[in-house]
Amino acid sequence: MLDPNLLRQTPAELADRLRATRGFDLDAGAITRLEAERKRIQVRTQELQQLRNARSKAIGQAKAKGEDASGLLAEVAGLGEELKASEAGLERVRNALEAIALGLPNLPDESVPLGRDESGNVEQHRHGTPRGFGFQVKDHVELGARHGWLDGDAGAKLSGARFTVLRGQLARLHRALAQFMLDLHVAEHGYEETNVPLIVNAESMQGTGQLPKFEDDLFGLDVGETRRYLIPTAEVPLTNLVRDDILDAGRLPIRMTAHSLCFRAEAGSHGRDTRGMIRQHQFEKVELVAVTVPGESEAEHERMVRCAEVVLEKLGLPYRRMLLCSGDMGFAARKTFDLEVWFPSQDCYREISSVSNCGDFQARRMQARWRNPETGKPELVHTLNGSGVAVGRALIAVMENYQQADGSIEVPEALRALMGGVQSID
């Protein structure tokens, strides 16, 4: 959530910034009208409360003197009804303002390039050289179909479109990738391994920005009279672990990692992406989350991106780093780097990790704070999150980049110990 002072004090300027950077239309006039109404009702509510208190005191004094207080009692009753209506009106206006505030995306950092879509993203660097093949390259679906290891038909039979069953050595390779990433981030990068619930409440979804704006993209569950949600990423439960907390400065930065299933009801429908495992309703990721003091979040962002890059480098996968433009960033992000891995079958780089600095945007929604030792006062933390990396896409990248002419798949050196020492699966 953005600083509410921006909405209250400079709504027109905020609207201009959101339009220029995010292509988001904010009705500044509506904000101004609601703010004026809020102030008017709030003043009247306070007046009524003061009048009621004064009349109640007068009633007590009249009764103490044995005087007739019926007129005062009637007046207080009338004030009570008006006060109740005024408080309800104030709550309605506040809710309307909060609904607008919850729907506003984060403002981009000054270092983020302006752009409307992915065409405005800026390449930062590349690592590795795509392999040359002396044979016809197969995509991951063809490679996985060889032994029925990657079975979309079975997934559709069980659950519908965009679900996949993995079997045999390919399922083992998928598991080895997740294990490799977790071990790397814990042992070498200093993250705390965390196991989190896959089902969270609405407060958690709102805290990280999925609600209310993106409810249609989520898998919701009605448990009795309570609405809960399957997580779209472990970012949600990990980040919400500090919700409503005031953290000691000595605890920061907090770095957490989790391997989890992820669920997204809206997985896209972009032609080639509907084939195989590129876009699934259920997938797995190793997530990275950091909580820092504001002055350290930029350096933490760079560190987190580097942790994700090391995964790809140890797997021997060519990739490039992209700085996302203002129009292509996620709702809660103020700055995002994407890592894109090389897919030989598509002859292009595709996203495998997205690492974002959210600043205090999520922290304000969650009321996640730290106590500044210099002032002794609570202040909002900064939160960061990123994929370290998407397990399914890493599997696809390994399959395609390490494929052999006979359809077998060489196992990257970094995974062989986790695969029982085998050098290839065929």
Side-chain angles (χ1 to χ4, degrees):
M1 184 182 294
L2 297 176
D3 186 340
N5 289 326
L6 294 174
L7 274 175
R8 292 171 184 160
Q9 300 172 8
T10 57
E13 290 83 347
L14 177 59
D16 289 342
R17 291 177 67 185
L18 287 170
R19 187 177 301 108
T21 60
R22 289 286 204 162
F24 185 94
D25 288 325
L26 171 64
D27 188 344
I31 299 292
T32 301
R33 289 189 295 273
L34 283 168
E35 267 299 313
E37 185 179 4
R38 181 192 64 79
K39 291 176 182 177
R40 177 183 60 78
I41 298 176
Q42 186 165 307
V43 168
R44 181 55 180 164
T45 300
Q46 291 169 347
E47 290 175 349
L48 290 167
Q49 289 170 338
Q50 291 169 357
L51 280 170
R52 185 181 63 175
N53 291 341
R55 296 298 185 268
S56 295
K57 184 177 180 180
I59 289 171
Q61 292 172 342
K63 288 183 175 180
K65 296 176 182 178
E67 298 174 353
D68 182 12
S70 57
L72 289 171
L73 287 168
E75 184 179 356
V76 167
L79 288 171
E81 289 299 317
E82 185 179 354
L83 178 59
K84 183 178 179 181
S86 187
E87 289 173 337
L90 185 59
E91 182 71 12
R92 173 184 57 79
V93 174
R94 284 174 173 167
N95 288 341
L97 285 167
E98 183 181 33
I100 293 172
L102 288 172
L104 300 181
N106 203 352
L107 289 168
D109 184 77
E110 292 181 357
S111 62
V112 171
L114 294 179
R116 298 181 61 183
D117 52 36
E118 63 181 12
S119 64
N121 297 342
V122 178
E123 183 175 322
Q124 304 290 288
H125 62 249
R126 298 188 182 197
H127 183 275
T129 302
R131 170 189 167 193
F133 293 86
F135 54 88
Q136 183 66 40
V137 170
K138 297 181 176 67
D139 71 8
H140 72 283
V141 177
E142 295 173 287
L143 292 165
R146 188 178 182 205
H147 297 296
W149 285 345
L150 191 157
D151 194 337
D153 291 338
K157 174 183 176 180
L158 297 175
S159 304
R162 310 285 181 81
F163 291 90
T164 300
V165 171
L166 296 178
R167 298 188 180 94
Q169 290 287 72
L170 197 61
R172 187 179 187 183
L173 183 61
H174 185 267
R175 172 164 56 88
L177 279 162
Q179 183 70 55
F180 160 72
M181 294 175 203
L182 272 180
D183 289 346
L184 176 66
H185 293 315
V186 172
E188 296 187 23
H189 297 156
Y191 289 84
E192 180 181 38
E193 184 171 353
T194 312
N195 191 289
V196 291
L198 302 182
I199 300 172
V200 297
N201 54 31
E203 290 82 1
S204 295
M205 285 294 193
Q206 180 173 297
T208 45
Q210 281 77 21
L211 288 179
K213 188 174 178 62
F214 301 105
E215 181 152 14
D216 290 344
D217 296 345
L218 305 171
F219 281 104
L221 303 171
D222 291 318
V223 183
E225 297 182 357
T226 304
R227 183 74 164 170
R228 294 191 175 93
Y229 299 87
L230 293 172
I231 62 170
T233 163
E235 168 203 345
V236 177
L238 286 174
T239 309
N240 273 276
L241 286 172
V242 299
R243 189 176 78 218
D244 296 323
D245 285 351
I246 300 177
L247 305 165
D248 290 335
R251 286 189 60 193
L252 301 175
I254 295 173
R255 299 181 179 121
M256 299 172 281
T257 185
H259 167 226
S260 77
L261 290 165
C262 307
F263 304 88
R264 294 190 183 170
E266 177 48 59
S269 56
H270 306 292
R272 62 187 177 185
D273 289 352
T274 63
R275 175 176 167 82
M277 288 181 61
I278 297 290
R279 288 184 181 271
Q280 299 276 280
H281 289 308
Q282 175 185 305
F283 56 99
E284 295 180 37
K285 275 202 305 175
V286 171
E287 187 74 5
L288 305 175
V289 163
V291 181
T292 75
V293 300
E296 297 176 3
S297 68
E298 186 174 346
E300 189 68 24
H301 192 198
E302 180 62 36
R303 182 188 188 278
M304 185 179 286
V305 179
R306 185 63 197 138
C307 290
E309 288 180 335
V310 170
V311 172
L312 302 179
E313 290 171 15
K314 286 184 176 290
L315 290 174
L317 297 172
Y319 71 88
R320 65 179 184 177
R321 183 199 288 200
M322 304 293 291
L323 172 60
L324 299 196
C325 71
S326 58
D328 198 35
M329 291 195 307
F331 177 79
R334 78 171 191 178
K335 185 174 183 178
T336 299
F337 289 106
D338 271 8
L339 301 183
E340 298 179 348
V341 71
W342 180 254
F343 278 8
S345 67
Q346 298 183 14
D347 196 36
C348 68
Y349 292 92
R350 301 298 307 277
E351 179 200 337
I352 194 170
S353 173
S354 189
V355 185
S356 297
N357 183 352
C358 298
D360 60 13
F361 185 84
Q362 293 177 327
R364 185 172 285 106
R365 298 167 80 104
M366 297 187 300
Q367 281 301 289
R369 294 163 291 171
W370 69 295
R371 193 173 299 281
N372 188 330
E374 295 183 3
T375 65
K377 296 180 180 179
E379 299 176 11
L380 294 171
V381 297
H382 280 193
T383 61
L384 304 94
N385 64 81
S387 307
V389 296
V391 181
R393 291 202 178 188
L395 177 69
I396 295 169
V398 167
M399 292 171 69
E400 293 198 3
N401 282 279
Y402 282 87
Q403 64 180 289
Q404 306 300 307
D406 62 358
S408 63
I409 300 166
E410 183 184 353
V411 175
E413 181 71 32
L415 300 178
R416 289 179 185 174
L418 295 169
M419 290 287 292
V422 300
Q423 298 187 14
S424 67
I425 57 175
D426 50 26

